[in-house]
Amino acid sequence: MSTAMGGPALFIGTDTAYVAVVRPRLDPEDPEVREAAVQAGVSPEEFAGPGNVWALMWEDGSGGGGGFELPGLRDAEAEDFADRLLAELSFESGPFIVGAGEVLRLQAYPGEGGEDCRFLCTVTPPEGEELSPVTLEIPSVDADALRADLEDFRRALA
């Protein structure tokens, strides 16, 4: 799944409660990017950047949310996270935990028959970020749809 900005993106959750690992790719020709660049006092190309920096974003369902960049994250590490989550979702062995480095920990609770899954996510910003660690609950999501999103994410990285 891609964001409106382009680039690989994996959203786990709902419209109001989610965690997302994204590598946005902004188009310097996009009118909104050009406008934001003018407001920032830089060229559209500088504002868009190289499009190779990963970010972690979240929203907690009550309107609270945040995010931060993960400049050291490589595509291979993002793919490994997706692979491990997909593998765990493929087995119907009960609750499991999948982590993405030190910044994200997903505790997953598959429903009966593996048709859905809810998550308890712990987001721990890297050292130097002003944000505090956050724990958020993601209500049940369709497991088949999440598997399809994980496959799309993996293809976007290839």
Side-chain angles (χ1 to χ4, degrees), residues 72-84:
L73 185 69
R74 299 183 321 248
D75 287 4
E77 294 165 317
E79 184 174 23
D80 176 65
F81 170 71
D83 288 345
R84 289 182 290 118

Side-chain angles (χ1 to χ4, degrees), residues 28-99:
E29 298 301 318
D30 182 294
E32 291 179 12
V33 171
R34 296 182 78 69
E35 181 180 325
V38 167
Q39 291 176 1
V42 298
S43 72
E45 293 75 19
E46 185 179 355
F47 186 83
N52 63 356
V53 177
W54 286 93
L56 179 70
M57 303 179 323
W58 69 91
E59 191 167 318
D60 65 10
S62 67
F68 48 83
E69 288 186 350
L70 300 166
L73 185 69
R74 299 183 321 248
D75 287 4
E77 294 165 317
E79 184 174 23
D80 176 65
F81 170 71
D83 288 345
R84 289 182 290 118
L85 181 54
L86 184 60
E88 289 288 351
L89 280 171
S90 297
F91 298 112
E92 296 176 18
S93 60
F96 61 88
I97 296 173
V98 175

